[in-house]
Amino acid sequence: MKHVNIKIIGVGKLKEKYFKAGIAEYKKRLGAFAKVEIVEVADEKAPESLSESEMAEVKAKEGERILGKIKDKEHVIALAIEGKQRASEVFAKEIADLGTYGHPDITFVIGGSLGLSPEVMHRANDTLSFGKLTLPHQLMRLVLIEQIYRAFMINAGRPYHK
Ligand SMILES: C[S@@+](CC[C@H](N)C(=O)[O-])C[C@H]1O[C@@H](n2cnc3c(N)ncnc32)[C@H](O)[C@@H]1O
């Protein structure tokens, strides 16, 4: 498989030590296969009392920050509950194919507590859903990086994936 560059863009600073430790571990493991960058953009305050238009505003502001971190050449995969689900083996092959067929810069985007803006969804080349369950965006980073690591292990034919 050709070399690929993985970028994960998330909203807000990761606070919990246990998420940080898990992500650091998979980032280290993934480093054997790919360049990995984790980018955090600032979140907007989103109290319970926001109106529809205020919520759209929060997503739009966070979305602008996300888009500011994405270059034209990047293949963007937006994480969304209503996005496309696939088996880990299929996901692994997609990553390998992107590397092989000229899209080595793969960027995953995880929304904030209210989700991703329409502008970010529009920029995305693809979507990825982990099912109908809503995962907290911080935990999503950990689950995602494990699945990316799993994909590389599958592609390398290594005994990790069962
Ligand atoms: C707390 S969720 C946002 C929930 C928001 N109501 C929505 O529908 O997007 C924060 C982010 O985590 C990611 N996320 C959470 N659960 C997911 C799932 N099951 N599949 C894919 N992405 C998910 C998405 O990127 C989402 O924008």
Side-chain angles (χ1 to χ4, degrees), residues 25-74:
E25 173 62 28
Y26 282 110
K27 186 169 183 249
K28 188 179 80 190
R29 293 191 197 183
L30 201 47
F33 302 101
K35 185 173 155 266
V36 190
E37 192 188 354
I38 298 181
V39 177
E40 290 180 333
V41 300
D43 54 0
E44 284 291 305
K45 284 202 173 27
E48 298 297 318
S49 56
L50 292 187
S51 66
E52 286 289 324
S53 65
E54 287 167 330
M55 285 198 273
E57 180 79 0
V58 166
K59 287 200 274 187
K61 281 190 180 153
E62 292 175 346
E64 273 174 32
R65 291 174 197 144
I66 291 170
L67 291 172
K69 300 291 181 191
I70 299 174
K71 299 190 183 74
D72 287 349
K73 64 175 181 179
E74 292 171 28

Side-chain angles (χ1 to χ4, degrees), residues 6-14 23 36-42 62-71 74-79 105-112 115-116 120 123 137-138 140-142 144-145 148:
I6 299 289
K7 189 193 278 186
I8 298 175
I9 304 179
V11 176
K13 274 224 166 309
L14 208 60
I23 290 166
V36 190
E37 192 188 354
I38 298 181
V39 177
E40 290 180 333
V41 300
E62 292 175 346
E64 273 174 32
R65 291 174 197 144
I66 291 170
L67 291 172
K69 300 291 181 191
I70 299 174
K71 299 190 183 74
E74 292 171 28
H75 181 91
V76 176
I77 302 179
L79 271 73
D105 298 289
I106 309 172
T107 297
F108 294 89
V109 180
I110 302 171
L116 291 167
V120 173
R123 169 62 181 85
H137 59 106
Q138 303 209 339
M140 195 68 255
R141 270 188 229 180
L142 177 56
L144 171 66
I145 199 167
I148 299 171

Side-chain angles (χ1 to χ4, degrees), residues 79-81 110-115 128-131 133-135 137 140:
L79 271 73
I81 295 168
I110 302 171
S113 58
L114 300 178
L128 173 61
S129 172
F130 284 80
L133 298 173
T134 300
L135 297 173
H137 59 106
M140 195 68 255

